[in-house]
């Protein structure tokens, strides 16, 4: 059964990727672009202190109904005055394509990640190469199979389509901002970046 009561979509599908990266010592987590709050609510089952931030006030009302233990913040992660290095886990799903510059976005999220913590980004990008097209085909098949099995739950967060940056551009931004990060191109029109912040 996918996360949440009878809910599945492309973003929920990759919650497990984020949850599997949570270090055992994690005590604080930030969900960037929390939307309806599903990922933040799942993180709260593993991490004692979870914050979800989003620029969209109405969608945060939906998030608050998911979990009362999460601290919900209406704001922009680029400018909100979070202390540097204050989260053991910084996670973001389907948010970075809303921001203008991938490298700057990755750098900001890295700034918020505590030493020894982890940054996990699952995002959307634009297909521009033949290799990208292979993942588009795989995603189309996977979507058909899984949406038939689980149904497709439509979130209420604002959407941006098509994504403004290509996979190549996003990967270049990640590599520049996050030395040693791990990049994966995923089906269902997604990529993943995982970066472990160096210990001091």
């Amino acid at each position: 059964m996918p996360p949440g009561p009878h809910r599945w979509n492309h973003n929920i599908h990759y919650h497990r990727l984020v949850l599997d990266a949570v270090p055992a010592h994690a005590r604080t987590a930030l969900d960037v672009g929390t939307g309806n709050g599903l990922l933040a609510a799942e993180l709260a089952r593993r991490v004692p202190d979870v914050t979800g931030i989003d620029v969209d006030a109405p969608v945060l009302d939906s998030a608050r109904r998911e979990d009362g233990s999460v601290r919900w913040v209406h704001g922009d992660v680029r400018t909100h005055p979070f202390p540097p290095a204050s989260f053991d886990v910084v996670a973001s799903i389907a948010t970075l394509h809303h921001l203008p510059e991938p490298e700057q976005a990755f750098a900001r999220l890295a700034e918020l990640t505590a030493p020894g913590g982890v940054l996990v980004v699952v995002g959307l990008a634009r297909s521009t190469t033949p290799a990208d097209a292979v993942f588009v085909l795989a995603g189309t098949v996977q979507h058909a199979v899984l949406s038939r099995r689980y149904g497709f739950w439509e979130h209420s967060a604002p959407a941006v389509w098509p994504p403004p940056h290509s996979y190549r551009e996003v990967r270049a931004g990640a590599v520049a901002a996050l030395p040693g990060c791990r990049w994966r191109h995923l089906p269902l029109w997604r990529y993943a970046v995982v970066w472990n912040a160096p210990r001091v």
Side-chain angles (χ1 to χ4, degrees), residues 127 131-142 167 185-189:
S127 296
D132 294 342
V134 173
F135 284 91
V136 169
L137 178 59
T140 301
V141 172
Q142 193 173 16
Y167 286 98
H185 195 156
L186 303 168
L188 296 175
W189 304 278

Side-chain angles (χ1 to χ4, degrees), residues 96 101-113 119 173 176-178 195:
L96 261 69
E101 295 294 337
E103 183 176 345
Q104 292 178 10
F106 284 119
R108 171 58 175 161
L109 300 188
E111 180 182 77
L112 298 175
T113 307
L119 165 60
L178 309 170
W195 178 74

Side-chain angles (χ1 to χ4, degrees), residues 24-171:
H25 70 269
R27 294 295 176 266
T28 56
L30 176 66
D31 180 19
V32 177
T34 193
N36 295 104
L38 304 186
L39 177 61
E42 289 195 74
L43 283 167
R45 298 180 197 133
R46 296 184 175 214
V47 182
D49 186 352
V50 177
T51 300
I53 185 170
D54 204 288
V55 297
D56 190 272
V59 81
L60 280 175
D61 291 336
S62 170
R64 288 186 181 94
R65 292 191 290 272
E66 286 297 324
D67 193 302
S69 68
V70 173
R71 181 184 301 107
W72 304 106
V73 175
H74 178 220
D76 188 328
V77 71
R78 294 172 295 176
T79 56
H80 191 79
F82 291 124
S86 53
F87 298 100
D88 298 316
V89 179
V90 176
S92 180
I93 293 187
T95 296
L96 261 69
H97 66 292
H98 290 260
L99 305 179
E101 295 294 337
E103 183 176 345
Q104 292 178 10
F106 284 119
R108 171 58 175 161
L109 300 188
E111 180 182 77
L112 298 175
T113 307
V118 66
L119 165 60
V120 186
V121 173
V122 176
L124 289 75
R126 190 177 69 253
S127 296
T128 57
T129 70
D132 294 342
V134 173
F135 284 91
V136 169
L137 178 59
T140 301
V141 172
Q142 193 173 16
H143 169 81
V145 171
L146 294 177
S147 60
R148 186 178 303 115
R149 181 181 302 169
Y150 298 127
F152 189 87
W153 180 76
E154 189 61 65
H155 62 75
S156 62
V160 172
W161 191 265
H165 306 105
S166 69
Y167 286 98
R168 183 175 295 170
E169 290 169 331
V170 175
R171 183 175 186 175

